[in-house]
Amino acid sequence: MTEPGHSCGTSVLVRRVVGGDERAWRDLVDRNGGVVWAAARAYSATRADAEDVWQATWLSLAENLHRIRDAEALPGWLVTTARRESLRLARARRRESPAGLDGLLVETADNGGDPESAALRSVLAARLARAFSQLSGRCQRLLRVMAVAPEASYEQISRALGVPRGSIGPKKQRCLRTLRQRMLALGGVEEPEVAL
């Protein structure tokens, strides 16, 4: 909520932030946080990387806020910055881990249960990671956002990924169908049995 007498327009918030108003900064982050997080998560392999991208995006805004000419375009600037930071971090991570899947497998690992179940989950997670890596970059980003931010609206996803809102549902279905086909080809998922 904004204080009485303060306009809630982005231009006003930006001017207040440039003037040193900490509450305006918090309001700006609250207003745009969902879009930044969705973009960071869409282009990051792990939650930890997305958190790094989140911080780098806000730091970049703090350093460049005085250069913003059109405050109403700020959400787009934030999405673009988060995307660029994610890609920069992904390049750095690939140099650290050529497969690029270590973080993904760590996030999907489940430490509970018996050793046999843990081994089966590990094999399935490896197959899933392999099938996922065979998807197009667009499918990977869309499915990653929808998996880690299921509460995100199609409007937020649209802004974060730069795709038309109406294309998200059909694209999601195509991506999931392709992922399932890749898993079947790798032997990672069996067709469900039909009880007669």
Side-chain angles (χ1 to χ4, degrees):
M1 294 218 97
T2 58
E3 296 174 356
H6 285 108
S7 171
C8 59
T10 304
S11 297
V12 172
L13 278 177
V14 168
R15 280 195 303 273
R16 288 174 47 206
V17 170
V18 169
D21 185 338
E22 289 182 33
R23 179 169 175 110
W25 175 259
R26 286 190 303 271
D27 290 346
L28 198 63
V29 171
D30 289 346
R31 178 177 291 178
N32 295 285
V35 171
V36 173
W37 179 250
R41 200 56 183 111
Y43 290 91
S44 301
T46 66
R47 182 178 182 86
D49 284 353
E51 289 169 355
D52 289 347
V53 167
W54 163 273
Q55 290 177 359
T57 300
W58 291 113
L59 177 61
S60 182
L61 177 62
E63 292 171 343
N64 294 291
L65 195 59
H66 64 283
R67 294 182 186 157
I68 301 291
R69 291 187 181 129
D70 180 8
E72 298 307 319
L74 184 61
W77 186 92
L78 289 167
V79 166
T80 299
T81 302
R83 189 179 303 149
R84 287 179 181 158
E85 284 295 328
S86 296
L87 295 173
R88 182 195 60 73
L89 185 59
R91 282 190 300 275
R93 294 287 188 247
R94 277 195 296 276
R95 287 190 296 271
E96 294 170 6
S97 170
L101 297 174
D102 295 341
L104 181 63
L105 294 177
V106 168
E107 283 191 1
T108 60
D110 181 6
N111 296 328
D114 61 82
E116 183 179 335
S117 294
L120 290 174
R121 279 191 304 274
S122 177
V123 168
L124 184 58
R127 286 182 182 156
L128 176 60
R130 185 169 173 207
F132 187 80
S133 73
Q134 293 173 0
L135 295 176
S136 69
R138 284 185 162 178
C139 277
Q140 288 182 23
R141 288 186 294 274
L142 176 62
L143 294 179
R144 194 176 285 131
V145 164
M146 297 190 103
V148 300
E151 71 286 350
S153 70
Y154 276 17
E155 182 62 34
Q156 290 172 316
I157 293 169
S158 170
R159 288 172 65 187
L161 298 178
V163 298
R165 194 183 81 178
S167 71
I168 293 172
K171 180 70 172 173
K172 176 182 85 167
Q173 294 306 316
R174 284 191 300 274
C175 292
L176 288 173
R177 189 171 36 253
T178 302
L179 180 61
R180 180 169 182 72
Q181 290 168 349
R182 300 274 162 81
M183 286 292 291
L184 285 168
L186 293 171
V189 175
E190 296 187 19
E191 291 291 343
E193 295 180 17
V194 178
L196 299 176

